[in-house]
Amino acid sequence: MGRLRVVFVALLLALLAPGAAPAYSWPFKPFNRQHPIRGFFGDPRTVYYNGILATPFVGTGIFSFHQGVDIVARDGTPIYAVADGTAHYLGAATLNLITKGCVTFQYFHIVSVVGEEQAVRAGKTVLGYVQPPFGHVHITEINDGKAVNPLQRGHLTPYRDRTRPHISSIEITNQTGVLQAPLGLCGRVEVDADAFDVPPVPVPGKFHGLPVAPAFVRWKLTRLGCHVAVPWQVTADFRKTLPPNSTFFNVYAHGTYENAPRFGREQYASMPGRYLFLLAANYDTTTIPNGVYTITVQAADERGNSTFAARRISVLNAHGGLCPGSLPLPPGAPPPPEPPS
């Protein structure tokens, strides 16, 4: 009996903790059914000022982390309050729902029908309707002044995810941005991982089959024989909250772009984005002995489903500063022996 009382008190304190957001339902009917999500927390949001044929990745633009989730809904769908609170206007098609527990929900892409400072009730009050032609409602959850991941346990519910992220490639470039073969790496290199996830509920329409970002990416480097040269390093962790937008290119590598990307005056509708995660921006291979190594990358989603990928590389540095792998066969030298049959 005493143990039950302790558990009950602990649960009560958790519910009453400042800024603690209780689980909440989906913002439109049916409230208790999981709906397709086409944009995940932490997805890259990119607008490149240069056209795709005008070296956009070395130019300027607008780059940020997606601070909520984009839930697919038909234009005109009634959107409800997910919690009790007070409505406040932020601007056209944008509304704040401020709860008594210091949690704020921001709704985007809705035509609001509630009044300023109107009291609203969860699952009862219609806040507005999905604004054409967006076909989705965006919701940001702000807890203690920070955007938090709505897909973490105890927040948006019901939510289940049994899919695993994908790692398409592990890429190595030199300091001029030229892709490198994994043989004879030397000097300083950049290491990136092309990784993505898929929504657990298939998304209809133009965003069908397009990727979303994994919630967690990390990497390590081991020498052949299992000696750890670089222990696990976390590149991205969107499981709870987000880094500042000013660090966008510390997480994503140049060459990243969002779904239906915009380059210059053109927007490439229905085209998938590319999510390049920056594992190491300026890794100095001279800090490790010459030899054969394995780069291992892990990508995981909010619910812990994960996948691993590995790429073997050889490091070959010389004291003179030149990369031995860049030198031709000396004049008159015999050709290398044939491999044994």
Side-chain angles (χ1 to χ4, degrees), residues 20-264:
Y24 50 92
S25 298
W26 294 76
F28 53 88
K29 295 179 180 179
F31 300 126
N32 61 349
R33 190 180 74 189
Q34 184 169 338
H35 296 273
I37 299 176
R38 77 183 207 186
F40 270 24
F41 192 71
D43 280 358
R45 289 295 179 258
T46 61
V47 176
Y48 288 92
Y49 292 157
N50 289 349
I52 192 64
L53 301 180
T55 59
F57 301 124
V58 298
T60 56
I62 302 172
F63 309 102
S64 62
F65 300 100
H66 191 226
Q67 299 202 347
V69 290
D70 290 342
I71 307 170
V72 177
R74 293 180 182 272
D75 292 341
T77 298
I79 300 300
Y80 291 79
V82 296
D84 295 345
T86 305
H88 293 276
Y89 285 101
L90 282 181
T94 308
L95 188 74
N96 266 4
L97 192 169
I98 301 177
T99 72
K100 294 179 181 179
C102 298
V103 176
T104 297
F105 294 95
Q106 292 184 339
Y107 292 73
F108 292 80
H109 311 311
I110 66 170
V111 178
S112 302
V113 295
V114 291
E116 172 65 15
E117 297 191 355
Q118 178 181 330
V120 299
R121 294 184 60 195
K124 301 292 185 182
T125 306
V126 174
L127 301 179
Y129 299 85
V130 174
Q131 182 186 35
F134 292 101
H136 72 277
V137 58
H138 169 105
I139 289 188
T140 293
E141 179 185 344
I142 300 174
N143 195 327
D144 290 333
K146 293 183 178 180
V148 298
N149 194 334
L151 302 183
Q152 60 185 302
R153 295 185 187 277
H155 292 250
L156 181 63
T157 189
Y159 178 76
R160 298 177 180 85
D161 188 351
R162 296 183 177 88
T163 65
R164 292 180 182 274
H166 302 261
I167 302 172
S168 301
S169 63
I170 300 171
E171 299 182 355
I172 303 165
T173 56
N174 63 18
Q175 290 299 290
T176 62
V178 177
L179 280 173
Q180 301 293 288
L183 304 174
L185 294 176
C186 71
R188 295 182 180 274
V189 296
E190 176 175 315
V191 186
D192 306 324
D194 188 338
F196 65 94
D197 202 353
V198 294
V201 177
V203 173
K206 293 182 178 180
F207 277 73
H208 177 73
L210 300 191
V212 290
F216 181 77
V217 176
R218 65 175 182 168
W219 70 284
K220 68 176 180 179
L221 183 68
T222 54
R223 191 169 186 180
L224 209 60
C226 295
H227 171 74
V228 177
V230 178
W232 284 113
Q233 305 289 309
V234 175
T235 293
D237 190 352
F238 309 142
R239 292 173 296 179
K240 301 297 182 184
T241 187
L242 292 172
N245 287 332
S246 59
T247 65
F248 182 88
F249 283 116
N250 294 340
V251 176
Y252 289 110
H254 290 276
T256 292
Y257 51 88
E258 66 180 2
N259 291 328
R262 180 175 292 279
F263 289 89

